[in-house]
Amino acid sequence: MNDLPFGFSASGNDDDGRDKDQNSGQNPGAAGGFDPAMLGQLFNQLGSMFSGMGAGAGPGSAPGAVNYEVAASLARQQIGDFTPMLEKEQSVVADAVRLAEVWLDEQTTLPAGVTTTAAWTPVDWLENTMPTWRTLCDPVAEQMSKSIDAGMPEEARAQAGPMMGIISQLSGSMFGSQLGQGLGTLAKDVLTSTDIGLPLAPEHTGVLLPQAIAKFSEGLDLPGQEIIVFLAAREAAHIRLFTHVPWLKQRLLATVEEYARGIRIDFSGMTDLTQGIDPQELFSNPEKMEELMGSAASFEPQTTPEQQAALARLETILALIEGWVETVVTDALSDRIPSTPALTETMRRRRATGGPAEQAFATLIGLDLRPRKLREAADLWRRLAEASDITVRDGVWGHPDLLPDSEDIDSPAGFIDGVIGGGTSSFDDPMAELERTIAEEEKRRSEGTGEAGTGDSDQGDDQQP
């Protein structure tokens, strides 16, 4: 059923009175595969690397662990043509978010977090979310670079000589190329700014992407207006959570950094790789360069137990976020929008199967953004609200230590009993609960100091409150 509002339609329509944005020098077939122009850009960068060797190019002169100029350029080419947004699309998004916020107010104690709405093109998404991608990718890429520097055998380091600077810059360009291709695909696929479970847009901004929503709607025999309001409600619910749980975004980023710190690479074959390589030969002999790049790709990071633990924590918190959003949106819309159950199941499958975001992260750093226990997490939040109320349920977000863990998601009964048995006052005032916990820990430490004393009873009495 295709009844989407003006602008929420396939970008192939040329009769809507708007001019398509054209990429300068864009190969129209680039979106379907690797554009030769991309390869040309990479070789131009390689030329710059080699030309700078005589000027003392080295690890310190590298542009960074990820070359974001390459990433942005390749992503822009992957996006290709797009239709600029007009005021009508902006108005549709604003109306949908405004309506969704009214309905969400009835199902959560967290107040509205959206103060600005926007309809974005894929390029708008790319430009506005790049700062967050930098924050996510830098820790992993930088740790990879450190691991390369620390793990390379001394013999290989000595033989590499000026090649070290080239290897560093080449690594940054390769990371940038992988990221750019992933982001270019993702920019055309995401429906909202929080579609992958992370807050990518500027704070307090609710975003829908009309062209992607039109493509998403093509396979659904559902009213277009219902789809838009449903997605607006998901966006608004995500933003409520990230706005009023200030530690949440930082916890996600910290988990990515924990993953990065565990990166280790086996460089036992690096000596053979660099033996007898002439840097100038690489520039004049593309086959040699291809051989080097293929060999370097074999030095993949090894997954450590610490990384596995970080990934498990990331999956758990993403599942809790998605499960809470699903529960709140379903409760708010199910009596008003008949297609809510079908759309909820569609979004579950979409997140579970893994889209371009998951593929981009898996290719770049092996990091999986799929909330594998989304269904179980949603069931936990629903059962907790049924056993208490939405105030208790939402109060669990008051402090990270109050959140359920992976075992609680698998077996929620014990967690729910603990919350209900512990009363609701601590959840009504999370700061009071934190202060009480700190006071109890200080008391325990004080008592432990007294028990571990020298036996001087007078001194022990003085230490008691």
Side-chain angles (χ1 to χ4, degrees):
M1 185 179 300
N2 188 6
D3 61 346
L4 291 169
F6 179 85
F8 285 75
S9 57
S11 60
N13 295 337
D14 292 326
D15 56 356
D16 60 3
R18 293 182 287 187
D19 294 329
K20 300 273 188 68
D21 179 275
Q22 300 289 338
N23 296 319
S24 177
Q26 165 71 19
N27 182 346
F34 191 84
D35 184 359
M38 300 180 185
L39 188 61
Q41 288 187 18
L42 290 179
F43 274 101
N44 285 338
Q45 288 214 349
L46 287 174
S48 298
M49 295 179 199
F50 287 114
S51 65
M53 286 178 58
S61 62
V66 179
N67 191 322
Y68 289 103
E69 291 184 3
V70 168
S73 177
L74 297 190
R76 184 66 180 81
Q77 291 191 14
Q78 284 284 92
I79 291 171
D81 297 341
F82 66 93
T83 305
M85 295 294 100
L86 297 180
E87 183 61 33
K88 201 137 191 177
E89 287 92 345
Q90 306 291 349
S91 178
V92 169
V93 172
D95 291 344
V97 171
R98 188 180 302 112
L99 178 61
E101 292 281 34
V102 172
W103 292 345
L104 289 172
D105 282 339
E106 302 174 4
Q107 300 299 333
T108 175
T109 60
L110 299 181
V114 175
T115 59
T116 303
T117 60
W120 277 356
T121 67
V123 171
D124 292 332
W125 180 90
L126 176 66
E127 293 175 350
N128 284 282
T129 64
M130 188 60 78
T132 302
W133 292 112
R134 284 175 174 266
T135 303
L136 287 168
C137 295
D138 277 346
V140 177
E142 288 171 2
Q143 182 62 28
M144 285 279 288
S145 297
K146 292 178 181 178
S147 183
I148 291 173
D149 186 60
M152 184 179 295
E154 289 297 330
E155 302 82 17
R157 191 190 308 276
Q159 292 172 2
M163 280 288 296
M164 290 301 297
I166 297 175
I167 291 174
S168 177
Q169 295 186 54
L170 181 60
S171 174
S173 294
M174 292 175 66
F175 268 98
S177 175
Q178 291 177 332
L179 179 63
Q181 293 184 63
L183 293 183
T185 303
L186 183 58
K188 297 181 292 184
D189 186 74
V190 290
L191 308 173
T192 70
S193 74
T194 57
D195 201 16
I196 64 172
L198 302 174
L200 299 178
E203 292 185 357
H204 308 294
T205 302
V207 177
L208 299 185
L209 284 87
Q211 292 179 21
I213 292 174
K215 182 180 178 181
F216 171 76
S217 303
E218 287 175 358
L220 304 175
D221 187 20
L222 299 172
Q225 191 62 42
E226 293 187 9
I227 295 173
I228 293 172
V229 176
F230 176 83
L231 294 173
R234 284 181 54 86
E235 174 81 342
H238 274 103
I239 294 174
R240 285 183 185 230
L241 194 59
F242 283 107
T243 297
H244 300 291
V245 183
W247 55 264
L248 185 55
K249 181 177 180 179
Q250 185 56 42
R251 172 58 65 93
L252 287 170
L253 298 178
T255 304
V256 174
E257 292 179 359
E258 290 175 19
Y259 171 88
R261 285 196 295 269
I263 290 178
R264 299 293 183 273
I265 302 178
D266 180 11
F267 285 97
S268 57
M270 180 59 78
T271 301
D272 295 336
L273 176 64
T274 58
Q275 183 73 38
I277 291 180
D278 180 359
Q280 296 297 338
E281 181 187 359
L282 295 178
F283 185 58
S284 60
N285 187 348
E287 293 182 359
K288 193 69 175 179
M289 172 61 71
E290 183 178 355
E291 178 184 348
L292 175 62
M293 294 176 68
S295 301
S298 65
F299 296 100
E300 297 178 351
Q302 301 172 333
T303 302
T304 64
E306 293 79 10
Q307 287 179 294
Q308 291 285 8
L311 288 175
R313 288 192 295 273
L314 182 63
E315 288 179 356
T316 297
I317 196 167
L318 287 173
L320 291 171
I321 292 170
E322 291 297 308
W324 183 88
V325 167
E326 178 182 300
T327 300
V328 171
V329 170
T330 298
D331 291 345
L333 271 56
S334 57
D335 292 337
R336 297 178 170 100
I337 295 183
S339 60
T340 296
L343 288 168
T344 298
E345 186 60 31
T346 298
M347 294 304 295
R348 278 183 176 180
R349 294 177 180 176
R350 190 172 188 267
R351 293 289 281 125
T353 56
E358 290 79 9
Q359 295 169 12
F361 268 83
T363 300
L364 184 63
I365 54 180
L367 194 57
D368 198 334
L369 293 178
R370 282 183 288 176
R372 300 181 187 276
K373 296 184 178 181
L374 189 160
R375 195 179 300 269
E376 294 84 351
D379 182 62
L380 181 149
W381 292 122
R382 178 185 58 78
R383 292 174 59 180
L384 178 57
E386 290 175 351
S388 53
D389 54 36
I390 62 173
T391 300
V392 172
R393 181 200 64 195
D394 294 349
V396 175
W397 292 101
H399 190 274
D401 292 344
L402 302 178
L403 284 182
D405 57 22
S406 180
E407 294 181 359
D408 293 327
I409 293 178
D410 292 333
S411 303
F415 173 79
I416 294 172
D417 289 343
V419 172
I420 303 303
T424 61
S425 60
S426 62
F427 296 101
D428 293 335
D429 189 351
M431 290 305 299
E433 168 65 11
L434 179 60
E435 291 174 358
R436 184 185 66 79
T437 301
I438 294 174
E440 289 180 352
E441 291 178 353
E442 291 179 349
K443 181 179 180 181
R444 283 195 296 270
R445 285 197 297 269
S446 177
E447 291 174 349
T449 302
E451 292 173 358
T454 60
D456 188 333
S457 60
D458 292 338
Q459 182 179 6
D461 291 341
D462 290 343
Q463 292 178 341
Q464 298 301 316

